[in-house]
Amino acid sequence: MAVLDILKKDIMILNLKAKTKDEALKEMSNSLFENGLISNKEIFEADIFKREAEATTGIGDGIAMPHAKNKVVKEAAVLFAKSEAGIEYNSLDGKPVHLFFMIAAPANANNVHLQALASLSSLLLDANLIRDLKKATTADEVQKLFKNAAQKNQQDSLKNTSQKELPLIVAVTACPTGIAHTYMAESALLDAGKRMNVRIRVETNGSEGVKHRLSANEIEQAVGVIVAADKKVEVERFSGKKVLQTAVVDGIKKPEELIQQVLEGKPAIFEGTGVSNNSTSQDSKKDGIWHHVYQDLMSGISNMLPFVVGGGILMAISFLLEQSFGKTSTAFVFLNSLGTNAFSFLIPILAGFIAFSIGDRPAMMPGFVGGYMATQASASIVKSTGSAGFIGGIIAGFIAGYLILLLKKLFVKLPKSLDGLKPMIIFPVLGLFFVGTLMFFIIDPIFSVVNLFLVHFLTTMGTANAILLGAILGGMQAVDLGGPVNKAAYTTAIGVLTTTGNGSMMASVMVGGMIPPLAIAIATTIWRSKFTADERKAGISNYILGISFITEGAIPFAIADPVRVIGSCIVGSVIGGGLTQLWKVSVPAPHGGLWVVLLMHNPLYFILALIIGALVAGTIYGIWKPKKAVAFDK
């Protein structure tokens, strides 16, 4: 697939009407929707805004590349848009954006699509192309400029230049989404290498997986390594090399500077501890230990959630079938066993990936084993019928990760001839021994007792305490609409559900997460004159997102008006979460919203709590929101 196949001229906007960043993103999303390239504008916009909330896609030099990859995209496409006046976009260089490239990639985008997107991203580093695009007045002219640039790029790549005598630098580029920045950094480093007479080999960690994987021979020959990445990449293989770690945007904006630092030997030797001694990553400079703890914990939770959702819903369906066919029926036994088997992996997966996030691959095995030990009844010094559970599993993951980091430092001076012993014998044996010792003699005995106490508290607490806890968990769902606070409440409810089999806390969390999008939908329906036509359309889609327990549907509104949206939603979610406890609602499934209502205990009260909370939040937001100063279509 060629670049011109995805840079479609029919959807180009050569004179954006938008005056602000949000208006520009919505105008471009609307063009994709009207031209049939996306099936649901609101869901696509939510992902676009969510990506912008993580980090600006304004890469500087008057260019922005907003992008999203999800299931509502029917066909891979790039929308080119231009603003003559320029739009303030919070770009990396602080300058207005004139040229926009909105990338829409299907959730199942194949390598052909992604390679075309990568090619387009690399072309945007051509200063002459950017200059000519700013002067272009027609869609045909834009396509011709890209066609000429692509042909020139291909000719350059075919030139036979012998560079074997030049110094070699290897690099890895990666960004969270893996659509644009990954490949722009790759192209920038390669171009800078040509200008500086340096051989560059770049491995990309993008949406299509690892491409151009570096060989052991290339790493051995390299004078240094550049890791320009905003997500975790495999770095153990660079042990003993001079490694410069930095943000992916540095690979785009200052590749010559990075190459020069490596050539001058400035990076410290990487000792295989998971973090370079002189990491220049912007995150490392501004974030403390708690930021890294949070990242490691989220790594475990994100890998655990598929087991939670898949196993939990199948198990809940089995309970529904049990009522109709009995507990000896094949349908019940099969689905219940399948769900139970999936649940048995939760804590080991959680612990294993926390450990992996900290100490890389050598930490996974002791992390998994420590997590498994946390699921077993304590058989050590303190005999207990309980297990260390989720708390013990989280601790096991962190112990395994940091223990491996410690072992790497202790054995860093091991003779190079014995390096092969570290991953094959030293780390597995010592890692497992010490993690197992700590779990058996300390963690399991202590936290099995703590866990039994918590279970006892949750199963015997009075109505007032239950209402308070439910209100808190429900309110946490609305604090950041899918962010860390939201995930903390969700994980707590999962822990209670898996430990006790009681879905009461899950009811509070589910109601709390469903209320924000439903509140938005109600407000845009009743107070129509206070919202634009696009906002009212987005409000309608929030009815579906709300009943499906997709809290993120409220994100575009929260970005535009955070105080009013989040403030009103917290009030509604607190009320809804508390009411589920007052009425003793229980939800045995960890996801699904109203689609799993038949599986609930006291489902009518669940619906009533949801309606009351959504009406309260929607009313507060609708009244609180000021009237627009301009007239809108009714």
Side-chain angles (χ1 to χ4, degrees):
M1 178 178 286
V3 169
L4 294 183
D5 292 333
I6 59 172
L7 187 70
K8 302 178 183 296
K9 66 178 183 179
D10 295 338
I11 62 175
M12 293 183 186
I13 306 175
L14 295 176
N15 185 19
L16 273 171
K17 298 177 182 177
K19 303 297 182 184
T20 67
K21 176 179 178 178
D22 288 358
E23 290 174 354
L25 294 174
K26 290 181 179 180
E27 187 175 343
M28 289 185 283
S29 298
N30 188 60
S31 178
L32 291 171
F33 178 70
E34 289 182 345
N35 285 279
L37 294 170
I38 58 175
S39 61
N40 187 305
K41 183 176 65 173
E42 288 72 28
I43 293 178
F44 182 77
E45 280 183 2
D47 271 3
I48 287 288
F49 279 105
K50 185 176 181 180
R51 173 63 183 86
E52 292 296 331
E54 294 172 355
T56 180
T57 57
I59 61 175
D61 296 328
I63 303 171
M65 298 184 68
H67 50 271
K69 178 183 177 183
N70 61 33
K71 62 182 178 181
V72 303
V73 179
K74 299 179 180 178
E75 178 183 348
V78 176
L79 183 150
F80 171 75
K82 187 168 70 166
S83 171
E84 293 290 345
I87 294 174
E88 291 299 328
Y89 200 88
N90 190 31
S91 294
L92 295 173
D93 60 2
K95 297 179 181 179
V97 169
H98 294 273
L99 304 179
F100 297 83
F101 298 86
M102 179 170 277
I103 301 172
N108 61 344
N110 57 32
N111 288 352
V112 176
H113 287 136
L114 294 169
Q115 287 167 4
L117 292 172
S119 299
L120 173 66
S121 300
S122 64
L123 291 176
L124 294 180
L125 295 168
D126 186 338
N128 293 328
L129 173 61
I130 298 304
R131 180 198 62 206
D132 294 339
L133 285 173
K134 291 179 178 179
K135 299 176 182 178
T137 57
T138 67
D140 287 331
E141 188 177 355
V142 171
Q143 282 206 324
K144 183 178 179 181
L145 288 171
F146 270 101
K147 181 178 179 181
N148 293 339
Q151 289 176 345
K152 179 179 179 297
N153 195 50
Q154 185 176 20
Q155 290 170 0
D156 290 342
S157 65
L158 292 176
K159 290 180 180 179
N160 184 19
T161 56
S162 177
Q163 297 181 317
K164 290 184 179 180
E165 70 283 2
L166 300 177
L168 171 66
I169 295 176
V170 295
V172 181
T173 63
C175 66
T177 308
I179 293 178
H181 291 66
T182 300
Y183 305 107
M184 294 185 74
E186 174 198 23
S187 183
L189 288 167
L190 291 173
D191 289 344
K194 291 177 183 177
R195 293 192 297 271
M196 299 173 71
N197 287 323
V198 176
R199 284 188 295 157
I200 300 284
R201 273 278 289 117
V202 184
E203 171 184 301
T204 57
N205 282 231
S207 293
E208 56 182 315
V210 176
K211 301 289 287 185
H212 315 303
R213 181 178 288 278
L214 300 172
S215 68
N217 185 50
E218 288 171 328
I219 296 172
E220 178 65 27
Q221 293 180 9
V223 297
V225 182
I226 297 172
V227 178
D230 290 339
K231 70 175 185 179
K232 189 172 184 65
V233 297
E234 186 183 346
V235 293
E236 282 295 309
R237 53 198 163 145
F238 303 134
S239 181
K241 306 295 294 186
K242 289 183 177 293
V243 178
L244 175 62
Q245 293 195 71
T246 187
V248 68
V249 68
D250 290 339
I252 298 172
K253 303 302 294 182
K254 47 184 181 182
E256 293 92 349
E257 180 180 328
L258 301 182
I259 292 172
Q260 190 62 38
Q261 287 186 49
V262 174
L263 291 176
E264 293 174 1
K266 290 184 177 180
I269 293 178
F270 181 65
E271 299 177 351
T273 59
V275 180
S276 175
N277 288 340
N278 72 324
S279 174
T280 58
S281 168
Q282 295 172 354
D283 286 343
S284 296
K285 292 178 180 178
K286 68 183 181 181
D287 295 321
I289 184 65
W290 292 113
H291 173 75
H292 295 290
V293 169
Y294 165 72
Q295 284 187 322
D296 299 331
L297 183 60
M298 286 300 105
S299 174
I301 291 174
S302 62
N303 283 285
M304 177 192 72
L305 284 181
F307 293 83
V308 174
V309 176
I313 290 181
L314 288 179
M315 192 183 298
I317 293 173
S318 75
F319 295 143
L320 185 64
L321 295 175
E322 180 187 17
Q323 298 175 11
S324 301
F325 304 106
K327 61 182 180 181
T328 60
S329 64
T330 302
F332 167 75
V333 172
F334 168 66
L335 290 178
N336 189 265
S337 299
L338 199 57
T340 302
N341 289 336
F343 263 42
S344 67
F345 286 94
L346 297 188
I347 297 177
I349 290 290
L350 174 68
F353 279 96
I354 289 174
F356 173 71
S357 179
I358 299 168
D360 288 303
R361 194 179 304 277
M364 287 191 78
M365 184 274 289
F368 278 124
V369 176
Y372 176 77
M373 292 178 71
T375 67
Q376 305 303 300
S378 178
S380 56
I381 299 172
V382 178
K383 303 296 182 182
S384 171
T385 57
S387 65
F390 264 81
I391 300 175
I394 291 171
I395 294 173
F398 281 102
I399 288 175
Y402 285 108
L403 176 64
I404 292 299
L405 291 186
L406 176 62
L407 291 175
K408 289 176 181 178
K409 288 184 177 180
L410 292 176
F411 289 94
V412 69
K413 295 183 178 180
L414 196 71
K416 198 167 186 65
S417 59
L418 300 178
D419 268 356
L421 293 178
K422 289 192 285 188
M424 294 301 295
I425 297 177
I426 296 174
F427 294 156
V429 174
L430 294 183
L432 180 59
F433 175 77
F434 286 117
V435 169
T437 299
L438 290 171
M439 291 300 296
F440 187 84
F441 291 105
I442 300 175
I443 305 302
D444 277 351
I446 294 175
F447 285 94
S448 61
V449 175
V450 172
N451 209 34
L452 283 174
F453 171 77
L454 292 176
V455 171
H456 177 74
F457 170 75
L458 290 170
T459 54
T460 61
M461 65 180 174
T463 301
N465 288 333
I467 293 173
L468 177 61
L469 182 57
I472 292 172
L473 291 176
M476 288 172 68
Q477 286 285 285
V479 169
D480 52 3
L481 307 174
V485 177
N486 174 289
K487 288 293 186 292
Y490 184 58
T491 305
T492 299
I494 290 173
V496 174
L497 177 63
T498 55
T499 302
T500 68
N502 187 335
S504 58
M505 293 299 110
M506 185 57 68
S508 295
V509 166
M510 192 173 290
V511 162
M514 295 169 69
I515 283 173
L518 289 175
I520 297 296
I522 291 169
T524 55
T525 300
I526 299 176
W527 288 272
R528 290 174 55 82
S529 62
K530 294 186 176 184
F531 297 89
T532 66
D534 284 341
E535 287 172 334
R536 293 198 295 272
K537 292 177 183 177
I540 294 174
S541 69
N542 268 289
Y543 281 112
I544 303 300
L545 297 175
I547 66 173
S548 303
F549 187 27
I550 302 176
T551 315
E552 287 82 357
I555 287 177
F557 291 85
I559 292 174
D561 192 4
V563 174
R564 294 185 181 89
V565 172
I566 294 177
S568 55
C569 288
I570 288 176
V571 174
S573 293
V574 164
I575 292 172
L579 287 176
T580 61
Q581 298 306 304
L582 176 65
W583 292 327
K584 301 188 184 306
V585 179
S586 177
V587 180
H591 216 284
L594 288 185
W595 305 113
V596 295
V597 70
L598 294 178
L599 307 176
M600 300 176 186
H601 177 67
N602 288 334
L604 294 180
Y605 282 116
F606 177 90
I607 296 172
L608 185 58
L610 178 64
I611 292 173
I612 293 173
L615 284 174
V616 169
T619 300
I620 293 174
Y621 177 46
I623 294 174
W624 194 358
K625 184 176 175 64
K627 291 183 178 180
K628 294 288 184 182
V630 295
F632 292 97
D633 52 329
K634 304 293 183 182

